[in-house]
Amino acid sequence: MSFIRRQCAKSLLVLCAASAYFTTVFAQELDAQRLAPKADAHRLLINEVDRGQTLLRNLEEMCDGIGPRLTGSIELRRAQQWAMAKLSAYGAIDVHEEAYDMGKPWVRGQSSARLLNANQQAINMVQRAWTTSSTGKVRGDVEILKAQSLDELRAAIPRIKGKIVLALALPSPNAEQKKNLALFSQEYNAIISEANMAAVLFISEREGSILDMNGSPKARLKHNVGIIGKEHANLLQRLIARGIKPKLELQFGGKFSPQPALAYNVLADIRGSELPDEMLIIGVHQDSWDLATGATDNGVGVVLAMEVLRGIQASKLPIKRSLRVVLFSGEEQGLMGSKAYVERHLAEMPKVQAMLTVDAGAGRIIGFPDMQVDAWYSALSEIAANTNGLHQLDIVYAHSKGSDHESFYERGVPAFSAIQEPLDYMSHTWHSEVDTIDHVKPEYLVHNAKVLGLLSLSLLNAPKLPHQANPKSP
Ligand SMILES: [Zn+2]
């Protein structure tokens, strides 16, 4: 569970690190002119973004028109077809899809939960994705599980066996156990298997009873898993504290598709004039969780990437390198799409100038982490100076995790995930049932398209960024 939750964590860590370094960035003298595209190129691109008015319209078409885009779903396939048609219309070349094996898709069904005793109220519960359906109703007493270590988990077996377990804490590997994660997983799974719980309930991390979602085809959970809101979890705990054992009746209707399937990434290019084999990749994930329409995670990233391609193409701006937009799938299940892309394009990795992603919600882009590579800090600082007319970006000494840039970073490619104003991303929309366009500010979308466009223009024309020979594992 923690692995998957980390995949899209958008790193509060980075945001925290960002504030710590705000005072020291731009300490060095910047030579903005050396890498700056001509001012008229800036103006052309900015004017084109203003003129196009495509961002919100595209977001509405994809999110409100097509809907949630769970990897493996028909809706994601529709969204991919929609994006390919748009990108082709924008003048992109070689617009196509690349397939990879995603395992078995998962389809949501009806789920329900209610208290059979106490006040007998309905409990708002959703089934965790990629978990098994129940055969009929699951009824049982609720037990609280708070286990920080494998020993504590093992000791809890007699108490939680066959019960509906409200999981407040589960063990994660300590420093010693991290040296042999396979062994840790083996022991963990053996204990969980022996416990043979009727169901496990996790608590949503969002505020105000908002439910969130996670899960992956890689998980092989045998028991039913649900997610409930904080307030209902508090109710169950209060009842237990008063000596009343809550009895729940649960139903889980979501299930696996019978057969494994392929998932797809979408690719679209604009050819560079001098170094067409070298490319800047703007890579964002198009898949979303299925409780809402994935407007902030990551509909905004998709329309931004598409708009940068459209803006550069429509402005007829000269670019030395090629620009490639990749719309990944499977990000939410563990970066599946970007890993498949990098594997397939391994020979091209040395020619990737940089990979940029935007995947931290709908807030304004305020900077980029340098991934703790000095040469990248210098290059990014110079390039970021080109956006000063719009926003002074902070290049931060930090290593960010949690999105598709990781897959490229692991191969030494300069790969950066934008730091954004948090807005209500972590508190409300991230992976949640309220991840809708209501939480997107159109003016920030426009702002981000201009910032990302100017950065991209610089990277397409700037001297080649060095790659890392032996990148640190993220
Ligand atoms: Zn995301």
Side-chain angles (χ1 to χ4, degrees):
M1 187 202 90
S2 58
F3 170 74
I4 296 304
R5 284 199 187 268
R6 273 205 309 273
Q7 287 306 317
C8 208
K10 307 304 159 296
S11 105
L12 280 177
L13 215 159
V14 167
L15 291 169
C16 296
S19 59
Y21 286 93
F22 280 170
T23 51
T24 58
V25 294
F26 295 118
Q28 69 185 78
E29 200 59 40
L30 301 177
D31 179 8
Q33 292 309 310
R34 188 166 75 84
L35 296 177
K38 289 190 173 63
D40 56 349
H42 275 198
R43 204 165 42 248
L44 278 172
L45 185 57
I46 287 169
N47 290 347
E48 183 54 43
V49 171
D50 284 331
R51 189 197 66 76
Q53 303 276 308
T54 61
L55 287 153
L56 190 60
R57 194 169 65 227
N58 278 349
L59 193 64
E60 288 180 353
E61 284 182 21
M62 185 173 73
C63 294
D64 292 346
I66 299 172
R69 301 172 301 282
L70 193 65
T71 299
S73 69
I74 289 169
E75 289 76 18
L76 178 58
R77 296 295 293 134
R78 285 193 195 124
Q80 289 168 329
Q81 298 298 323
W82 167 86
M84 286 197 293
K86 287 272 178 187
L87 289 162
S88 298
Y90 294 161
I93 59 168
D94 203 15
V95 179
H96 69 283
E97 294 176 308
E98 290 179 353
Y100 64 93
D101 186 358
M102 65 158 286
K104 289 182 180 175
W106 186 85
V107 182
R108 187 166 295 285
Q110 287 291 326
S111 294
S112 63
R114 69 182 180 106
L115 266 168
L116 296 174
N117 60 348
N119 66 12
Q120 303 189 344
Q121 75 172 80
I123 301 292
N124 198 15
M125 181 198 77
V126 282
Q127 183 179 348
R128 187 182 183 183
W130 278 281
T131 59
T132 55
S133 58
S134 57
T135 45
K137 303 273 172 70
V138 178
R139 295 185 185 86
D141 292 343
V142 176
E143 284 286 342
I144 290 172
L145 175 61
K146 201 171 181 179
Q148 308 283 2
S149 67
L150 290 178
D151 286 342
E152 287 181 13
L153 185 60
R154 195 175 287 109
I157 291 176
R159 195 169 54 80
I160 63 176
K161 197 158 194 152
K163 298 290 172 50
I164 294 172
V165 172
L166 177 63
L168 302 186
L170 286 170
S172 49
N174 59 30
E176 190 59 32
Q177 288 163 329
K178 278 180 182 168
K179 293 175 186 168
N180 192 345
L181 282 175
L183 180 63
F184 175 86
S185 298
Q186 191 183 339
E187 291 181 14
Y188 181 96
N189 292 336
I191 298 169
I192 293 291
S193 178
E194 190 182 339
N196 194 26
M197 295 169 282
V200 177
L201 299 176
F202 289 103
I203 304 170
S204 170
E205 295 177 357
R206 307 287 84 78
E207 302 296 336
S209 292
I210 297 168
L211 300 178
D212 63 4
M213 188 42 55
N214 57 77
S216 169
K218 295 174 194 164
R220 294 198 178 85
L221 300 170
K222 297 285 191 294
H223 47 265
N224 295 125
V225 183
I227 298 164
I228 64 174
K230 285 177 179 162
E231 286 78 359
H232 284 167
N234 290 340
L235 165 66
L236 297 177
Q237 291 177 81
R238 281 198 304 273
L239 290 172
I240 289 171
R242 288 173 53 212
I244 302 167
K245 185 75 79 182
K247 295 182 189 303
L248 283 178
E249 179 183 82
L250 311 175
Q251 189 174 13
F252 300 89
K255 53 177 184 279
F256 288 83
S257 298
Q259 299 298 329
L262 298 175
Y264 299 84
N265 296 322
V266 169
L267 286 72
D269 293 352
I270 305 178
R271 189 81 73 225
S273 58
E274 292 180 24
L275 301 162
D277 291 343
E278 292 188 9
M279 65 178 65
L280 169 71
I281 294 176
I282 303 177
V284 291
H285 72 88
Q286 195 177 13
D287 64 299
S288 75
W289 284 111
D290 65 332
L291 299 183
T293 55
T296 71
D297 188 15
N298 189 15
V300 288
V302 171
V303 299
L304 285 174
M306 291 169 63
E307 177 62 3
V308 170
L309 183 145
R310 191 197 69 79
I312 290 174
Q313 179 75 6
S315 319
K316 299 186 171 55
L317 293 170
I319 53 172
K320 292 179 183 171
R321 296 185 179 82
S322 297
L323 170 66
R324 172 167 290 174
V325 165
V326 188
L327 307 180
F328 298 112
S329 60
E331 193 270 356
E332 300 292 9
Q333 289 73 46
L335 314 181
M336 292 196 302
S338 56
K339 284 178 181 170
Y341 176 92
V342 167
E343 202 60 40
R344 185 174 181 139
H345 294 267
L346 214 46
E348 298 165 17
M349 286 300 123
K351 292 184 175 177
V352 177
Q353 162 75 331
M355 186 276 192
L356 299 178
T357 196
V358 181
D359 186 20
R364 285 183 301 178
I365 296 173
I366 54 176
F368 282 84
D370 64 1
M371 303 300 276
Q372 300 178 331
V373 178
D374 289 344
W376 295 354
Y377 176 89
S378 306
L380 278 183
S381 296
E382 289 191 41
I383 288 162
N386 293 333
T387 66
N388 279 356
L390 292 167
H391 194 99
Q392 183 162 322
L393 295 175
D394 288 305
I395 306 306
V396 177
Y397 181 77
H399 188 122
S400 75
K401 298 179 181 180
S403 193
D404 293 307
H405 67 297
E406 277 185 42
S407 305
F408 292 78
Y409 171 84
E410 286 175 5
R411 299 291 177 178
V413 175
F416 310 106
S417 181
I419 302 167
Q420 294 172 257
E421 293 168 325
L423 303 185
D424 57 358
Y425 192 54
M426 297 307 294
S427 60
H428 289 72
T429 65
W430 183 45
H431 296 181
S432 87
E433 58 185 338
V434 300
D435 186 1
T436 61
I437 291 178
D438 308 77
H439 299 263
V440 175
K441 294 185 189 305
E443 64 270 28
Y444 289 3
L445 256 187
V446 171
H447 174 89
N448 284 352
K450 292 173 181 173
V451 168
L452 189 64
L454 295 188
L455 281 177
S456 301
L457 210 50
S458 297
L459 285 162
L460 286 161
N461 294 308
K464 182 93 188 301
L465 268 60
H467 284 217
Q468 279 212 99
N470 298 301
K472 280 179 285 187
S473 181

